[in-house]
Amino acid sequence: MTRALKSILLGIAALAVGTHAVPCQGPRTYQAEDAVLTGTHIDTAQPGYTGSGYVTGFDQSSDKITFKINSPSTRLYDLSIRVAAIYGEKRTTVVLNGASSSEVYFPASDSFITVSGGQVLLNEGANTLDIVSNWGWYLIDSITLTPSAPRAAHNINPNPVNPAANADAKALYNYLKSIYGKKILSGQQELSWANWISQQTGKTPALVSVDLMDYSPSRVERGTVGTAVEEAIQHHERGGIVSVLWHWNAPTGLYDTEENRWWSGFYTRATDFDVEQALSSTTNANYTLIIRDIDAIAVQLKRLQDAGVPVLFRPLHEAEGGWFWWGAKGPEPCKKLWNLLYDRLTNYHQLNNLLWVWNSILPEWYPGDDTVDILSADVYAQGNGLVELGQDKKMIAATEVGAAPLPDLLQAYQVHWLWFAVWSDGFINNAEWNSLETLQTIYNHDYVLTLDEIQGWRNSA
Ligand SMILES: *[C@@H]1O[C@H](CO)[C@@H](O)[C@H](O)[C@H]1NC(C)=O
């Protein structure tokens, strides 16, 4: 996972996903001409306005309209803006309570039209909502705030996709279903960092994610010794839940140069291994190497199966980003590889302890309902798209985040993540991402499940 991508996650206010809140109040319209105007003015030349006029004159970047809005409680609203962008398409900036801002696009129109401004989370009591110039030269007639509709009930598949899923995998799946939408599992990448959290907060993550990276044959042949299986078993034995990802070092074709050393071999930039070419026939030498690697990983997953550990398995992660070789040739070879992995591990190796976690968002990358148990994202702000992708039949997890999500926001937005897992060194221990105070709040929050609170999970669903 790259730092650049992670930096997108900093804005936790960007958690604008999901739709919901309690609707016991109808839509409310606020006329622009009744609001507080800064550098803008009322006009009536353009026909079709409501009230006694509209507001225009956004020529300086600080020009704005400030609406004062009272909300009976802290809740989410759908914002719409009645506007005429008579000089062509424009953009405005919506600023809520002087802090969080978002951009709204206005299509060109020679009369007043209503444009969606997305969702805003208003505090109980007084709020301000500013419409700030951005690309100016539009006419604002009014805004309307409607309490967002409550979220529809989930329709999660009753069983894991593998019909032969073993009792461990089924128990985990049932447990996850039982908490989904009600609580979130706390999670951490790497056992050592999970233990660090215990020291810092007095609470231990419910879920630990480990990486099969060092069992990749092209690393093992250069001397790596994986420890992820032992760590996973350790966390399982103390009653925790285990997630496994795999930074799959390319089977061959590693550049191993100064800039792209062999241990970077899961990056597209570090190898000329061509997944499309390798999968183009089952007789070619590189196909054989793919099978060799899958079989090597199967040995490790089998150790977990034998130890009774059900696994949230997340291979081929972040494929759509293209920065890993399995995603470098677009969606088709990647889906083919996913299907091969699923078939080889499930049917040939009889690994029935796995729940399959898919980790890309774009529909064209989705391998399909038959081989995916759980959808996930490594970027918060795209969760809404995931709900659509799985038609709410698949649970959704935030499998890699830079900053642990704030439970109050998750609840206010009804963002139903099954778990979150914070990335390891550089994130969990970096105050820019996770201050200790915030971690303590999160780890002690009622909405967040920690290791002590999930003891006996197997029998509780
Ligand atoms: C297998 O992949 C390597 C590394 O990309 C490449 O050099 C080689 O030509 C490929 N082999 C075959 C048989 O296509």
Side-chain angles (χ1 to χ4, degrees), residues 90-306:
K90 299 292 175 200
R91 286 171 198 281
T92 193
T93 302
V94 174
V95 180
L96 188 61
N97 291 322
S100 66
S101 70
S102 60
E103 196 173 69
V104 176
Y105 170 74
F106 295 151
S109 165
D110 48 20
S111 60
F112 283 101
I113 57 169
T114 299
V115 171
S116 168
Q119 290 182 306
V120 289
L121 180 65
L122 297 187
N123 298 327
E124 180 177 348
N127 296 267
T128 61
L129 190 151
D130 297 332
I131 304 257
V132 186
S133 188
N134 201 330
W135 302 1
W137 301 110
Y138 41 74
L139 323 179
I140 303 287
D141 183 34
S142 65
I143 64 168
T144 298
L145 288 162
T146 309
S148 300
R151 182 173 185 140
H154 294 293
N155 180 31
I156 303 302
N157 286 342
N159 298 305
V161 288
N162 174 8
N166 69 15
D168 298 323
K170 280 187 188 156
L172 178 55
Y173 191 78
N174 284 337
Y175 173 67
L176 296 176
K177 272 194 315 181
S178 76
I179 60 162
Y180 186 54
K182 302 187 185 98
K183 301 271 182 177
I184 188 168
L185 292 164
S186 56
Q188 178 56 39
Q189 182 66 35
E190 304 305 334
L191 183 67
S192 56
W193 287 109
N195 294 340
W196 180 86
I197 291 171
S198 316
Q199 290 159 15
Q200 303 297 327
T201 70
K203 295 279 196 168
T204 302
L207 176 149
V208 167
S209 168
V210 297
D211 194 337
L212 296 178
M213 179 167 76
D214 280 338
Y215 302 105
S216 305
S218 72
R219 294 173 91 89
V220 172
E221 66 197 26
R222 289 168 170 87
T224 62
V225 180
T227 56
V229 169
E230 285 74 13
E231 288 161 13
I233 291 173
Q234 224 181 304
H235 187 63
H236 166 76
E237 285 180 346
R238 64 184 187 184
I241 293 171
V242 167
S243 170
V244 169
L245 87 154
W246 181 19
H247 279 98
W248 183 351
N249 231 61
T252 187
L254 306 179
Y255 296 143
D256 200 11
T257 56
E258 200 58 45
E259 317 84 81
N260 292 303
R261 306 307 298 267
W262 60 265
W263 61 79
S264 316
F266 40 83
Y267 283 120
T268 303
R269 61 170 165 77
T271 176
D272 65 5
F273 188 76
D274 181 338
V275 60
E276 187 171 24
Q277 181 271 341
L279 294 177
S280 62
S281 84
T282 56
T283 52
N284 103 54
N286 287 337
Y287 183 89
T288 309
L289 288 178
I290 284 187
I291 296 294
R292 173 203 68 177
D293 283 15
I294 297 174
D295 292 352
I297 262 13
V299 171
Q300 305 306 326
L301 293 169
K302 182 77 177 6
R303 292 171 64 204
L304 292 173
Q305 177 161 277
D306 292 346

Side-chain angles (χ1 to χ4, degrees), residues 313-327:
F313 186 45
R314 184 168 68 99
L316 309 188
H317 67 293
E318 296 173 20
E320 68 192 2
W323 47 78
F324 298 134
W325 61 264
W326 50 87

Side-chain angles (χ1 to χ4, degrees), residues 176 184-185 187 207 243 312 357 374 396-399 417-421:
L176 296 176
I184 188 168
L185 292 164
L207 176 149
S243 170
L312 295 161
V357 183
I374 292 170
I396 298 171
T399 40
W417 295 112
L418 187 53
W419 75 86
F420 69 84

